[in-house]
């Protein structure tokens, strides 16, 4: 499916973030975009470029996390032939490629202190120096950067330069997680559902059933919109009945009654105390503020049962084995939560 470049959502928290990006786009100043994975940081960065006066100039993307520390300076600032082993020819860096346009630095917090120092000089003076050269080059680049880290905390931990943070934080746009975007889960699910139905060649989009809608609203969405899209597309692909509303979703594609056991730790070396192998309990999603403990526990139990039944194709015996329950126990639990339809 083609790269998604439009914004889908109607919640006030999401619209406020998009509006802030639109306002900042016209100003030729650095912008920091903060948000959890899957919240749309790349889309906001592209919006900042497309709505700016630089819209017809280069838009260069660099993922700092994908670059080894030994190469990141070469990627950013370029290098001269022979400046290090393997540098057989002169190469322009990302700053030079983005001259006159926008440079988007994704995963900014992973950048080494050394690279941060050189980035600070480029931001302050508009100059870059290729690795192996002593001659600075003038560049005109707007910096947009993104991270899922709290940068002030990294400054306190001496993992990020305070002066660089000062230079980059003219405007900081913090994107809300999907769980905080009231009403947007169903809107996004419908959008992705219709698209996937079209890809599969369905004549009509039947929508979602009540079980699927309840499961979506009860999920914490740690992967945000990217996770939602995967869950919706996977659920429709596995549903296989275009004539009925999609009513089963699989949130964890790795979950299976037959998944490989957790590998036990290797034997201790001589003199080292042995520790018993433990199978960690599955982590519950963060519930946020809870005012009714019993209701929250019931909702989580219902979510587990719903997910497991969908994963086991609604075979109660297989689902009982997957959850370590007897057949009578799972029938009782399904009846309790109204899932024994």
């Amino acid at each position: 499916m083609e790269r998604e470049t439009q914004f889908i959502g109607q919640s006030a928290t999401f619209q406020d973030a998009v509006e802030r990006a639109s306002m900042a786009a016209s100003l030729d100043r650095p912008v920091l975009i903060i948000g959890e994975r899957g919240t749309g940081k790349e889309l906001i960065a592209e919006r900042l470029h497309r709505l700016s006066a630089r819209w017809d100039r280069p838009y260069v993307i660099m993922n700092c996390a994908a670059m080894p520390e030994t190469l990141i300076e070469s990627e950013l600032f370029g290098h001269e032939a022979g400046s290090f082993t393997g540098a057989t020819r002169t190469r322009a860096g990302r700053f030079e490629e983005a001259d006159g346009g926008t440079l988007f630095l994704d995963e900014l917090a992973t950048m080494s202190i050394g690279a941060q120092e050189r980035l600070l000089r480029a931001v302050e003076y508009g100059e870059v120096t290729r690795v192996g050269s002593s001659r600075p080059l003038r560049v005109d680049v707007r910096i947009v950067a993104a991270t899922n880290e709290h940068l002030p905390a990294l400054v306190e931990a001496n993992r990020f330069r305070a002066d660089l943070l000062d230079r980059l934080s003219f405007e900081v746009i913090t994107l809300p997680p999907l769980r905080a975007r009231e009403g947007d889960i169903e809107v996004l699910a419908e959008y992705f559902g219709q698209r996937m139905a079209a890809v599969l060649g369905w004549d009509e989009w039947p929508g979602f059933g009540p079980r699927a809608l309840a499961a979506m609203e009860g999920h914490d969405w740690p992967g945000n919109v990217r996770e939602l899209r995967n869950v919706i597309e996977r659920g429709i692909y596995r549903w296989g009945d275009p004539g009925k509303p999609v009513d089963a979703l699989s949130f964890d594609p790795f979950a299976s009654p037959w998944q490989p056991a957790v590998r036990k730790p290797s034997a201790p070396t001589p003199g080292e105390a042995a520790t018993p192998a433990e199978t960690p309990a599955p982590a519950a999603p963060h519930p946020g503020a809870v005012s009714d403990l019993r209701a929250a526990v019931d909702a989580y139990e219902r979510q587990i049962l719903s997910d497991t039944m969908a994963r086991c194709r609604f075979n109660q015996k297989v689902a009982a084995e997957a959850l370590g329950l007897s057949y009578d126990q799972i029938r009782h639990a399904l009846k309790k939560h109204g899932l024994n339809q």
Side-chain angles (χ1 to χ4, degrees):
M1 301 175 78
E2 73 276 7
R3 182 169 179 268
E4 182 57 62
T5 58
Q6 59 180 309
F7 293 97
I8 307 296
Q10 60 187 13
S11 65
T13 53
F14 178 68
Q15 293 294 340
D16 285 348
V18 174
E19 181 60 26
R20 286 187 67 179
S22 302
M23 291 174 60
S26 61
L27 296 176
D28 203 14
R29 296 289 188 276
V31 176
L32 279 176
I33 307 168
I34 313 295
E36 297 178 6
R37 74 180 196 270
T39 49
K41 297 186 290 294
E42 301 91 340
L43 296 182
I44 290 290
E46 186 169 347
R47 185 179 188 84
L48 286 164
H49 175 71
R50 301 300 176 196
L51 295 182
S52 74
R54 299 171 180 258
W55 65 270
D56 59 343
R57 304 297 294 167
Y59 175 60
V60 178
I61 302 173
M62 178 173 167
N63 187 328
C64 300
M67 291 290 122
E69 186 173 341
T70 53
L71 293 180
I72 193 167
E73 292 188 38
S74 172
E75 285 292 324
L76 273 176
F77 310 114
H79 61 255
E80 298 290 341
S83 58
F84 55 86
T85 302
T88 58
R89 59 185 179 85
T90 298
R91 182 181 182 279
R94 302 296 176 90
F95 266 94
E96 290 179 72
E97 293 175 6
D99 191 22
T102 304
L103 175 60
F104 173 45
L105 298 175
D106 200 7
E107 303 289 353
L108 177 72
T110 64
M111 186 177 287
S112 69
I113 293 293
Q116 290 176 33
E117 185 174 351
R118 296 195 65 184
L119 176 60
L120 174 63
R121 180 172 182 81
V123 174
E124 279 194 332
Y125 302 110
E127 292 182 350
V128 298
T129 303
R130 292 175 180 168
V131 176
S133 173
S134 59
R135 182 173 61 90
L137 301 170
R138 296 289 299 177
V139 290
D140 174 23
V141 175
R142 183 192 192 182
I143 300 292
V144 175
T147 181
N148 58 6
E149 298 271 8
H150 184 53
L151 293 179
L154 297 189
V155 170
E156 291 294 325
N158 295 318
R159 291 171 48 201
F160 200 86
R161 292 184 60 110
D163 44 6
L164 178 59
L165 182 59
D166 290 340
R167 290 293 297 169
L168 295 179
S169 56
F170 169 79
E171 175 64 290
V172 179
I173 299 171
T174 303
L175 300 181
L178 185 56
R179 59 185 174 275
R181 293 171 53 177
E182 186 176 356
D184 281 357
I185 292 175
E186 188 171 350
V187 171
L188 285 159
E190 282 290 325
Y191 176 75
F192 293 135
Q194 290 175 18
R195 282 166 50 94
M196 191 60 182
V199 168
L200 295 174
W202 291 9
D203 293 333
E204 295 181 351
W205 164 236
F208 295 101
R211 183 183 294 137
L213 289 171
M216 281 188 271
E217 291 297 333
H219 190 58
D220 200 41
W221 300 110
N224 294 289
V225 179
R226 187 180 295 120
E227 180 190 6
L228 173 66
R229 176 174 177 170
N230 284 337
V231 168
I232 296 303
E233 292 179 355
R234 182 168 55 245
I236 294 170
Y237 152 73
R238 291 181 177 180
W239 184 245
D241 189 350
K244 294 182 179 179
V246 178
D247 209 19
L249 299 174
S250 173
F251 292 91
D252 182 1
F254 297 97
S256 168
W258 305 280
Q259 66 185 21
V262 178
R263 187 183 298 273
K264 294 182 179 180
S266 57
T269 57
E272 182 182 22
T275 55
E278 295 183 0
T279 302
H286 192 281
V290 173
S291 58
D292 187 333
L293 178 62
R294 185 179 298 278
V297 171
D298 284 347
Y300 184 48
E301 182 179 86
R302 189 182 194 281
Q303 181 68 61
I304 293 173
L305 287 166
S306 177
D307 291 352
T308 306
M309 286 295 291
R311 193 169 67 242
C312 298
R313 295 179 175 270
F314 302 97
N315 185 313
Q316 294 182 5
K317 185 175 184 298
V318 175
E321 292 175 357
L323 293 172
L325 301 175
S326 69
Y327 184 63
D328 288 338
Q329 286 173 326
I330 197 169
R331 284 178 57 84
H332 175 75
L334 292 172
K335 182 178 180 180
K336 171 186 172 183
H337 293 288
L339 298 175
N340 57 344
Q341 301 171 3

